[in-house]
Amino acid sequence: AQSVSQHNHHVILSEAASLELGCNYSYGGTVNLFWYVQYPGQHLQLLLKYFSGDPLVKGIKGFEAEFIKSKFSFNLRKPSVQWSDTAEYFCAVGVLNNAGNMLTFGGGTRLMVKP
Amino acid sequence: EAGVAQSPRYKIIEKRQSVAFWCNPISGHATLYWYQQILGQGPKLLIQFQNNGVVDDSQLPKDRFSAERLKGVDSTLKIQPAKLEDSAVYLCASSFRDYGLLRYEQYFGPGTRLTVT
């Protein structure tokens, strides 16, 4: 079975600071990788995804993530955060079956951006 | 495009009572998932349906939890009897089965927040 670890449970940054959220997973086979975001009062939304190809993927709102296979990592980055990025961020690993992706989520990182 | 619909949004029950949650996926999505998200944790997959059949229910506590998707569209998740530790948000998600890369993505509903007292 796969597992996902997010290193930081809470992160507080000032606006314009750079962001990096760590995500490591354990699974021996082929995986799909995701970052989801949950803004206050809203439901989970897909931020970005990696299936194959270029290990550096770009998502919405200026976020990007890099898949490093040798480190089993998929860290999320943003060069300059905004107050509106305050949210909870979840890393997820997917194993594809014939019906879709079986997702395993990390515990989440709660980001607060101070104006 | 309408999103994944769930009801009720909130439910408070006493332990040993039963409760049911309803989910209507995005039109055309053959695959439906139920997740449990306990406060402070990430969502945990409970069950995966493809049309009206169960694909994977290995993480569903079958002594008290059941789920069905009889007509291959909407789905119901039931807990009977509920325990205090079942307090959580229950999320429903759906995805395409085919359409190339689109089948990899899941779209989540707003969830049902269950409090068991």
Side-chain angles (χ1 to χ4, degrees), chain B residues 13-27:
Chain B
I13 62 171
E14 295 181 352
K15 59 184 179 183
R16 292 187 290 272
Q17 286 186 323
S18 62
V19 65
F21 314 122
W22 175 83
C23 170
N24 189 258
I26 293 172
S27 177

Side-chain angles (χ1 to χ4, degrees), chain A residues 8-55:
Chain A
N8 311 99
H9 297 293
H10 293 92
V11 174
I12 302 174
L13 295 173
S14 297
E15 275 194 315
S18 64
L19 170 72
E20 181 160 2
L21 301 182
C23 173
N24 284 88
Y25 69 93
S26 65
Y27 184 72
T30 302
V31 295
N32 314 123
L33 298 162
F34 304 84
W35 276 96
Y36 280 87
V37 61
Q38 188 165 26
Y39 297 104
Q42 298 186 27
H43 56 272
L44 275 169
Q45 302 172 42
L46 183 64
L47 199 55
L48 49 78
K49 57 190 182 285
Y50 172 81
F51 302 144
S52 63
D54 188 345

Side-chain angles (χ1 to χ4, degrees), chain A residues 78-93:
Chain A
K78 186 171 184 178
S80 175
V81 295
Q82 301 173 324
W83 176 79
S84 58
D85 293 325
T86 294
E88 189 158 19
Y89 293 81
F90 293 93
C91 179
V93 168

Side-chain angles (χ1 to χ4, degrees), chain A residues 36 49 51 97 99 101-102, chain B residues 31 33 48 50 104-106:
Chain A
Y36 280 87
K49 57 190 182 285
F51 302 144
N97 61 21
N101 248 316
M102 300 287 286
Chain B
T31 306
Y33 309 81
Q48 179 194 33
Q50 182 181 98
Y104 291 75
E105 297 187 27
Q106 294 182 27

